[in-house]
Amino acid sequence: MTPALLGNLSVSLALAFSLLGLGLALLAYLQGDGRFLRGARALVLPAFLAALAAFLALEWALLAHDFSLAYVARNHSTKDPLWVTLVTPWAALEGSLLLWGLLQTLYTLLASRKPLDPWRASLVLAVLFGIQAFFFGVMATIASPFETLPDPPPDGVGPNPLLQNHWMMAVHPVLMYLGFVGLSVPYAYAVAAMVARRYQTWVEETRWWTLIAWGFLTAGKVAGMWWSYEVLGWGGYWAWDPVENASFIPWLLATAFLHTAFVQQTRGAFKTWNFAFVTLAFAATVLGTFLTRSGVIQSVHAFAEGPVGPAFLGFFLLATGLGLGLLSRVSREVRDTALFHPLSREGALLLGAFFFAGWALVVVLGTFYPLLVEAFTGAKVSVGAPFFNQVSAPLGAGILLLMGVGPLLPWRRARREVLRNLLVLLLALALGTLFGLLRGYALGASFALGLFLYNAAAIYLLAREGVLARVRAGLSPWGFLANRRRVGSLVVHFAVALMGLAIAFSQTYRLESEKTLYRGEAWEVGGVRMTFQGVRALDEGRRFAVEALLGTDRFGEVRPRLHFYPQMNSPLPAPEVIYTPGNDYYFLLMDFDREKGEWASIRLIVTPLVFWIWVAGALMALGTLYILWPAGRAEEARGVSPA
């Protein structure tokens, strides 16, 4: 047995189990026969085990340096450290498809364990088996991770140096795939509900799956921002790169769905919007994969290209057509009949969802516009960060405004007593903005400070309302913390407001300076005095490294580096970043004296509040985890509402 034989056999088995499961699940629905459903369920675990065996076969090939596999020869080297070898399966196209397929079978396995009526259970399984069949079909035909070479090389070139230059690449792709693949389950539930015409409970069941996927997507995006910040050497964390946009679009649509789904759970409204958002969110994951795997765009993040573009484009059209086609068929049945007042909580939630969906549309248009212009006219145009920043700033501000006031509004229509809370929020917004202006901040940064205080005041009022309700009922005020959905959403909202503040200040105030220093020369910039002490060259096996030795009066010795990989013509920067709650100090080695090491060009970037972006990302993940904690779900299922 060789890794190639085991891998190919496992992929074929996973495809066969998926196709057979798809057929049995469809028969179960069409025939109304539970035996077919039991047969389909029995195939879920074998499909997962086959996918796991294929993944382990690829790991085996990498650990054994089996360069007879084309994937190993192109993406692995005997000099790679163990952690790089272990994460190489998602360093290129075929391996990342295999990881996607493995996670897809895992989600199918988990979804198959959830109790559903037989009609919807068979349809959910049919959709998930169908998605599995697509991925394993692609691996079995046009993008096999186990393609062999007739004349294997003695060693490989290793993965893209950008992927082995920071440990975050071991985490970021897995989190992203867990989010992407997780959105397939809500999509399957939505299709099942529309086919079976059972619209009552699907959204409550789906919301939890979406929240899981949303949490992974959020963590994955923040991890990707951190990777970009520390690896690409430009001192930024977001550049509106097409690959970044591709993962941002499903996050925005999933966020829109989470808000309108809450209204359907509580008031029974917005069914049409929920079907549309959950369909588009899943379709956006496939569209993003087409964008980043087809080669139609050039991006610093596009590590994996191959012949899968047409397949993913076709799959995107099929998934979108199925969801929206079913929605058009049942639109009369799911249309909202009751009117809702715009000045109500459901009105604010729907408007907020429109903001998120509108933002997603803007990102789609900005990302695809250059491709469409080139396709129809042959001209090359670009849509860069200035466009996205200009349209995103008002959308983001609108979302932050709604995020504060929305939860304070009652259902159905606003009452007079709500005006007092609104006045408190407006006062916080005005005082924060005025304080910023008096401090000499720019208008945008001052308004961001006002929005942060506005949302902090809203969170305080909501928490106070919940605690006082318990006290009036003679209950312990600490029981408010047991309302996990309320508390978790407050934590997430606070984190979003904090991130908005940090982004506004880090984008507005950034000090960047560069100078060539000679040995012993001192330089003071950004409140830091540094002295250049020389350079040091290191042989680290798979790469050479050159680090500048800088003595500073605030942080001791710092050592920004350049990494030289044999497969790259130019060195990769490895900045040393000093994180503080106020400013980040980002030291970069730009160039150095290659003969005597007597001089080095150093760039220092000082950016305020970046530290709080990572804190906000962690808080968003923790808030989501708190909502999903099993005890919270059990309490909600029992109708317990401590607040």
Side-chain angles (χ1 to χ4, degrees):
M1 180 71 76
T2 64
L5 180 60
L6 175 61
N8 282 317
L9 179 62
S10 300
V11 168
S12 299
L13 284 174
L15 174 60
F17 291 143
S18 300
L19 289 172
L20 187 56
L22 170 62
L24 289 174
L26 289 175
L27 280 174
Y29 176 74
L30 295 173
Q31 300 292 325
D33 191 332
R35 290 175 298 176
F36 291 123
L37 178 58
R38 287 195 292 276
R41 280 181 169 149
L43 291 168
V44 171
L45 182 59
F48 167 72
L49 293 176
L52 181 61
F55 188 82
L56 293 177
L58 186 56
E59 290 282 16
W60 175 18
L62 290 163
L63 290 169
H65 310 310
D66 184 354
F67 296 108
S68 67
L69 264 65
Y71 186 87
V72 177
R74 289 196 301 264
N75 301 290
H76 175 62
S77 163
T78 54
K79 295 177 182 177
D80 292 345
L82 179 60
W83 76 269
V84 172
T85 300
L86 292 174
V87 305
T88 296
W90 50 87
L93 172 68
E94 295 84 355
S96 62
L97 288 177
L98 183 55
L99 175 63
W100 193 310
L102 173 62
L103 296 178
Q104 189 68 60
T105 59
L106 176 62
Y107 270 108
T108 303
L109 179 64
L110 296 173
S112 69
R113 299 293 189 263
K114 295 297 180 184
L116 287 177
D117 62 75
W119 287 270
R120 286 193 303 141
S122 57
L123 290 167
V124 167
L125 276 182
V127 173
L128 293 176
F129 271 129
I131 297 170
Q132 282 181 202
F134 168 76
F135 278 94
F136 288 106
V138 169
M139 283 184 269
T141 53
I142 56 177
S144 171
F146 302 102
E147 177 189 356
T148 55
L149 296 172
D151 187 16
D155 201 349
V157 296
N160 187 321
L162 284 172
L163 298 177
Q164 49 182 309
N165 212 35
H166 196 280
W167 63 270
M168 187 59 77
M169 286 312 296
V171 179
H172 162 59
V174 178
L175 292 173
M176 292 302 299
Y177 288 154
L178 282 167
F180 280 173
V181 181
L183 288 175
S184 67
V185 181
Y187 173 74
Y189 272 70
V191 169
M194 289 188 283
V195 172
R197 287 185 155 88
R198 298 181 181 217
Y199 316 118
Q200 299 305 315
T201 60
W202 81 273
V203 75
E204 182 178 348
E205 298 152 348
T206 302
R207 191 170 181 271
W208 283 96
W209 286 105
T210 311
L211 197 56
I212 291 171
W214 185 89
F216 280 123
L217 270 180
T218 303
K221 290 207 66 63
V222 174
M225 291 163 67
W226 196 359
W227 170 84
S228 176
Y229 186 59
E230 289 214 348
V231 169
L232 298 182
W234 58 293
Y237 46 82
W238 190 262
W240 296 107
D241 180 273
V243 175
E244 295 172 347
N245 295 349
S247 61
F248 191 38
I249 295 164
W251 185 88
L252 289 168
L253 293 168
T255 308
F257 169 73
L258 286 173
H259 288 81
T260 51
F262 184 47
V263 179
Q264 184 174 340
Q265 277 186 269
T266 309
R267 310 300 304 168
F270 303 161
K271 299 185 188 74
T272 305
W273 288 112
N274 286 326
F275 282 125
F277 285 144
V278 84
T279 296
L280 293 174
F282 172 67
T285 66
V286 183
L287 179 66
T289 308
F290 161 72
L291 264 180
T292 56
R293 300 293 186 264
S294 63
V296 299
I297 61 167
Q298 296 299 316
S299 163
V300 70
H301 295 85
F303 301 111
E305 297 178 4
V308 300
F312 272 89
L313 182 59
F315 187 53
F316 162 73
L317 295 174
L318 176 64
T320 308
L322 177 63
L324 297 185
L326 286 170
L327 179 56
S328 68
R329 191 186 68 153
V330 302
S331 59
R332 290 179 180 273
E333 300 168 27
V334 299
R335 183 179 302 164
D336 296 329
T337 54
L339 296 176
F340 72 93
H341 200 282
L343 290 178
S344 62
R345 187 177 299 185
E346 53 265 48
L349 287 168
L350 183 61
L351 185 57
F354 285 169
F355 269 91
F356 283 113
W359 201 350
L361 179 62
V362 167
V363 177
V364 169
L365 293 176
T367 305
F368 276 89
Y369 179 73
L371 301 178
L372 295 175
V373 170
E374 185 174 357
F376 286 105
T377 68
K380 289 186 177 295
V381 299
S382 63
V383 177
F387 164 78
F388 289 108
N389 288 336
Q390 285 183 5
V391 296
S392 296
L395 287 168
I399 288 170
L400 287 172
L401 282 170
L402 286 169
M403 194 175 74
V405 72
L408 286 168
L409 293 173
W411 298 107
R412 294 182 184 277
R413 65 173 59 229
R415 295 188 295 267
R416 288 186 176 180
E417 56 266 31
V418 176
L419 291 177
R420 184 182 57 193
N421 288 337
L422 293 180
L423 288 175
V424 172
L425 298 189
L426 291 175
L427 183 63
L429 176 63
L431 288 177
T433 305
L434 183 62
F435 175 78
L437 291 173
L438 292 175
R439 291 272 298 176
Y441 298 151
L443 178 60
S446 300
F447 189 57
L449 179 59
L451 281 172
F452 174 73
L453 294 179
Y454 165 92
N455 277 282
I459 291 166
Y460 165 76
L461 291 172
L462 285 165
R464 179 174 174 272
E465 177 184 297
V467 169
L468 289 179
R470 290 188 59 85
V471 170
R472 284 194 291 268
L475 301 172
S476 168
W478 295 107
F480 173 71
L481 296 176
N483 189 342
R484 293 181 180 273
R485 185 160 72 177
R486 172 66 67 89
V487 174
S489 66
L490 291 181
V491 171
V492 171
H493 281 190
F494 176 78
V496 171
L498 179 61
M499 185 172 284
L501 178 69
I503 289 173
F505 272 76
S506 61
Q507 294 289 322
T508 305
Y509 300 104
R510 170 185 159 114
L511 172 66
E512 183 170 350
S513 189
E514 182 175 337
K515 186 175 183 179
T516 297
L517 299 174
Y518 288 84
R519 190 186 295 271
E521 183 178 357
W523 179 35
E524 184 167 350
V525 61
V528 179
R529 180 180 176 82
M530 68 186 84
T531 303
F532 175 57
Q533 298 170 340
V535 296
R536 179 166 58 187
L538 302 167
D539 181 358
E540 297 182 335
R542 61 193 167 117
R543 69 189 179 197
F544 290 120
V546 174
E547 58 185 22
L549 308 178
L550 299 171
T552 71
D553 58 348
R554 294 185 61 181
F555 312 116
E557 187 175 75
V558 297
R559 301 175 180 179
R561 286 177 152 215
L562 286 175
H563 287 157
F564 294 81
Y565 290 89
Q567 60 268 51
M568 291 195 78
N569 295 324
S570 56
L572 283 180
E576 177 151 358
V577 186
I578 307 296
Y579 295 94
T580 75
N583 291 306
D584 273 12
Y585 297 86
Y586 195 96
F587 295 85
L588 268 170
L589 172 60
M590 304 301 295
D591 200 0
F592 61 95
D593 180 3
R594 284 169 168 73
E595 294 183 358
K596 299 180 180 179
E598 290 297 316
W599 58 267
S601 293
I602 304 296
R603 178 178 295 172
L604 175 63
I605 302 172
V606 183
T607 314
L609 303 192
V610 176
F611 172 82
W612 297 103
I613 291 177
W614 321 128
V615 173
L619 286 175
M620 291 170 77
L622 289 174
T624 306
L625 184 63
Y626 194 73
I627 297 172
L628 291 170
W629 201 255
R633 189 171 182 181
E635 285 174 357
E636 186 169 299
R638 294 198 305 270
V640 175
S641 181

